[in-house]
Amino acid sequence: MPPKVAATKKTVEEENAVRFGRVKNNLRMGVVGLPNVGKSSLFNLLTLQNVPAENYPFNTIEPNEARCALPDERFEFLCDLWKPPSTIPSYLMVTDIAGLIKGAAEGAGLGNAFLSHIQAVDGIFHCVRVFENNDVIHVEDSIDPIRDLEIIQSELCKKDMEILKKAVAAEELAVKKSGGKFKLSPTFLSMTEKLKNLLEKDVPARSGDFSTSEIELINEKMSLITTKPVVYLVNLTKADYIRKKNKWLAKIHAWIQKHGGGVLIPFSVEFEQELSDSADKEIHLKETAAAAGVDGPLTSALPKMIVTGYRNLNLVNFFTAGDKEVRSWTVYGGALAPDAASVIHSDFGKGFIKAEVVSFADFKETYGGQKSMANVKAAGKYRIEGKSYVVQDGDIIHFQIGTITSKK
């Protein structure tokens, strides 16, 4: 078990990562890393797109964007129960961003353009290479994931320092032009000093202990990169992924805990590609496990990546279910019932009357095999909620909407 101090620090980082940035329902994760670490190959597997993945440092120039269906057993359960003609899952939006290199913050390797692409996303899949393959060149000529992690983090912190300096200069200019009517607020000064101390040490801004008002100022005055939540994806060889061992994993985990925190997910492009190409995935997994002498079941790491990215963006999903359609809808964590109704149709929030709600867990426990709410209501699990209700992940909701009059 980690020490309590580390756990407390991680909690602060996770809370800040959620509060920083935009409050929207269509947030995106960006796949980031050095060239030739497996980013585009992973992106292809996640989105089933045929994005080029040749062995060149800057193969991806413009970011490729796609969406990944959110794996959700609750959604599958509702689809199997109702068997409607239309089934629509929630999606995680993913962007494949070209590889960064040392010096990117100063413009090396088209770095400034690539860093602006990272600014445009809301969370980061940081892809790290630990696999050895002489046919795939490494931009630093050797395998050292700790060095690679430090290169990327340093470049992101340098870019944020540049953004911070510009924001401070803009505020100072505004004060100067006011002719003494205004001055920099204590909150702004404390916030910028904290950021400066963090970024100068290549420590991400999300690690800082900022007040709510300071975070609001950061969101208003600058679009920082290191406030974004990060999921670290460690690309292993097929053999190492199957045996769940590699000499670098413990070192990478320790580095992450000391440099802003984040989730670590080991995976293997080699393993995932073979699985994707197989005609029968279950048979392939069993045969691969048997050939490797592994007793336990083998599974793909891709579903965990998608779910982890989705949750790290503070996104939750609720369901609507009926004979015509079962659908999963995405909202930002903390959304009120009228906001959730507006996701279905922009006018529904205006005409919101009430929400009829049951949690998925309560529905599954009480539905009695029926594709209706009769048994759920009889068990007292069907609730009527108003405008102040905070939608919970996994809610099944039926909205009551009043007459909506168009503006004349």
Side-chain angles (χ1 to χ4, degrees):
M1 292 292 289
K4 291 184 178 180
V5 173
T8 302
K9 182 180 179 183
K10 185 178 180 182
T11 300
V12 170
E13 289 158 356
E14 289 174 347
E15 288 178 354
N16 282 355
V18 170
R19 290 184 293 160
F20 283 122
R22 301 181 299 166
V23 179
K24 297 179 68 176
N25 303 321
N26 59 341
L27 304 180
R28 296 175 292 162
M29 293 291 289
V31 185
V32 174
L34 293 175
N36 296 344
V37 298
K39 298 185 310 301
S40 292
S41 297
L42 171 62
F43 181 83
N44 292 342
L45 290 162
L46 282 170
T47 63
L48 299 180
Q49 288 196 33
N50 188 24
V51 178
E54 284 85 359
N55 185 18
Y56 298 103
F58 306 113
N59 183 62
T60 306
I61 303 300
E62 293 300 322
N64 295 286
E65 296 186 355
R67 61 182 189 175
C68 311
L70 180 70
D72 193 329
E73 293 180 353
R74 303 167 303 181
F75 174 71
E76 298 297 334
F77 178 91
L78 296 175
C79 291
D80 290 342
L81 177 62
W82 261 276
K83 295 182 171 57
S86 174
T87 58
I88 304 175
S90 287
Y91 292 95
L92 173 67
M93 307 306 294
V94 179
T95 300
D96 180 25
I97 298 171
L100 294 175
I101 62 171
K102 186 183 294 185
E106 287 79 38
L110 303 177
N112 283 323
F114 299 161
L115 286 165
S116 69
H117 294 158
I118 302 175
Q119 272 187 287
V121 300
D122 304 282
I124 295 172
F125 280 136
H126 187 161
C127 191
V128 186
R129 172 179 172 177
V130 300
F131 69 88
E132 298 274 0
N133 187 333
N134 293 331
D135 294 329
V136 181
I137 62 172
H138 192 292
V139 71
E140 294 292 327
D141 296 325
S142 63
I143 303 301
D144 184 346
I146 302 302
R147 174 203 60 207
D148 297 350
L149 286 164
E150 290 178 346
I151 288 174
I152 295 294
Q153 179 130 300
S154 177
E155 295 303 322
L156 299 185
C157 287
K158 286 176 182 176
K159 183 64 177 179
D160 274 359
M161 180 62 81
E162 176 188 321
I163 295 168
L164 173 62
K165 289 178 179 178
K166 288 181 179 179
V168 171
E171 289 299 301
E172 289 175 343
L173 180 61
V175 169
K176 184 177 180 180
K177 287 183 176 180
S178 74
K181 293 181 180 179
F182 305 105
K183 63 179 181 179
L184 296 176
S185 71
T187 302
F188 183 84
L189 293 171
S190 66
M191 174 268 289
T192 54
E193 185 63 24
K194 288 179 184 178
L195 282 174
K196 182 174 178 289
N197 290 336
L198 290 167
L199 297 173
E200 284 180 339
K201 300 172 185 175
D202 286 342
V203 177
R206 66 180 178 275
S207 299
D209 186 8
F210 296 96
S211 67
T212 299
S213 58
E214 288 174 333
I215 291 173
E216 289 173 348
L217 264 181
I218 292 171
N219 289 338
E220 177 188 350
K221 301 294 184 180
M222 58 198 84
S223 178
L224 297 178
I225 294 174
T226 64
T227 57
K228 304 178 191 296
V230 181
V231 178
Y232 293 89
L233 309 178
V234 180
N235 191 3
L236 310 167
T237 63
K238 172 186 170 183
D240 283 351
Y241 178 73
I242 291 172
R243 69 193 187 103
K244 295 180 172 58
K245 290 182 180 179
N246 181 278
K247 65 180 181 180
W248 289 106
L249 287 176
K251 297 176 183 178
I252 293 171
H253 180 267
W255 185 93
I256 291 171
Q257 300 313 306
K258 293 179 180 178
H259 295 81
V263 179
L264 186 158
I265 301 178
F267 79 105
S268 168
V269 163
E270 180 186 6
F271 174 88
E272 298 291 350
Q273 189 65 64
E274 290 183 7
L275 178 59
S276 178
D277 294 340
S278 63
D280 188 312
K281 290 180 172 51
E282 289 189 11
I283 292 176
H284 175 80
L285 289 171
K286 290 179 181 178
E287 291 178 345
T288 302
V294 176
D295 294 329
L298 294 178
T299 58
S300 168
L302 302 186
K304 183 177 181 181
M305 288 183 197
I306 297 170
V307 172
T308 303
Y310 189 88
R311 301 304 177 200
N312 269 257
L313 291 176
N314 194 36
L315 299 176
V316 300
N317 56 318
F318 69 92
F319 308 106
T320 53
D323 291 327
K324 293 183 179 180
E325 181 180 81
V326 171
R327 184 161 181 168
S328 177
W329 303 86
T330 295
V331 292
Y332 194 79
L336 301 179
D339 299 324
S342 295
V343 173
I344 298 175
H345 192 288
S346 57
D347 288 338
F348 283 6
K350 303 171 187 175
F352 177 89
I353 296 176
K354 62 181 179 180
E356 300 172 5
V357 185
V358 60
S359 70
F360 175 81
D362 286 342
F363 175 81
K364 188 175 181 181
E365 182 181 343
T366 60
Y367 81 111
Q370 296 185 24
K371 53 181 182 179
S372 75
M373 296 295 172
N375 289 337
V376 178
K377 291 178 180 178
K381 299 297 185 179
Y382 204 61
R383 312 188 310 274
I384 304 299
E385 301 289 357
K387 293 182 178 181
S388 62
Y389 176 68
V390 177
V391 173
Q392 301 298 307
D393 183 62
D395 278 347
I396 303 170
I397 306 179
H398 175 73
F399 293 102
Q400 292 284 352
I401 307 298
T403 302
I404 302 170
T405 57
S406 59
K407 293 182 179 179
K408 294 183 180 180

